[in-house]
């Protein structure tokens, strides 16, 4: 029996990948916060949670940026690499700027930030792959009604 929560009714790859990546990152962020709250206290837990949330925001913005570049046009595949590069450089620039601005704040626990941020990045990648594997991707275009029966297009 398959449970449908109503949110993921589409098998379109981008929607599945975005939702699965965001869900995996959010779950990881909550688990990391809970574990660090028990082990180290509330300040490291807050640091890890903020780091995981910032990673989630950066990656969602990046995925939406790549989707905006590609759209649903199959001809846009030629610009896919350039669009992904622009989005990636933008993510790196924004992430580096955040680190440079926030690095001197008092009360930052660098280990907790690393646990939250790096773990969230890994959870995002695992979620994106899982979302892609559960989507339906056409390997070839389906036959159209104008193609005669028994002939090859």
């Amino acid at each position: 029996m398959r449970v449908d929560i109503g949110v993921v009714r589409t098998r379109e790859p981008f929607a599945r990948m975005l939702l699965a990546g965001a869900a995996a990152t959010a779950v990881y962020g909550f688990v990391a916060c809970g574990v660090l709250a028990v082990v180290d206290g509330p300040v490291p837990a807050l640091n890890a949670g903020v780091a995981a949330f910032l990673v989630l925001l950066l990656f969602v913005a990046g995925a939406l940026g790549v989707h905006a570049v590609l759209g649903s046009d199959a001809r846009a595949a030629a610009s896919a690499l350039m669009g992904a590069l622009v989005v990636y450089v933008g993510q790196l620039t924004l992430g580096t700027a955040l680190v440079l601005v926030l690095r001197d704040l008092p009360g930052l626990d660098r280990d907790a930030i690393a646990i939250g941020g790096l773990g969230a990045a890994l959870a995002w990648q695992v979620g994106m792959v899982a979302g892609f594997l559960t989507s339906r991707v056409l390997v070839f275009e389906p036959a159209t009604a104008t193609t005669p029966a028994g002939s090859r297009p």
Side-chain angles (χ1 to χ4, degrees):
M1 181 172 134
R2 184 177 178 126
V3 177
D4 189 5
I5 59 173
V7 176
V8 188
R9 292 183 184 213
T10 181
R11 297 294 247 172
E12 194 268 324
F14 176 73
R16 299 286 294 209
M17 291 169 61
L18 185 65
L19 185 62
T25 305
V27 167
Y28 174 81
F30 285 120
V31 169
C33 285
V35 169
L36 283 172
V38 170
V39 172
D40 283 340
V43 173
L46 181 62
N47 282 300
V50 169
F53 181 70
L54 289 176
V55 165
L56 177 63
L57 286 180
L58 280 173
F59 283 174
V60 167
L64 291 174
V66 169
H67 188 64
V69 168
L70 295 178
S72 60
D73 188 7
R75 292 173 290 175
S79 65
L81 189 57
M82 183 57 70
L85 179 65
V86 168
V87 168
Y88 179 66
V89 169
Q91 284 176 312
L92 283 178
T93 303
L94 186 57
T96 303
L98 281 171
V99 167
L100 291 175
V101 167
L102 300 176
R103 72 179 172 178
D104 293 330
L105 288 176
L108 289 183
D109 185 348
R110 291 178 186 222
D111 293 337
I113 290 172
I115 289 170
L118 295 175
L122 182 61
W124 174 268
Q125 295 301 320
V126 169
M128 289 284 279
V129 169
F132 181 77
L133 291 176
T134 59
S135 67
R136 292 189 179 161
V137 180
L138 293 177
V139 176
F140 57 89
E141 290 292 323
T144 60
T146 59
T147 305
S151 66
R152 293 184 174 204

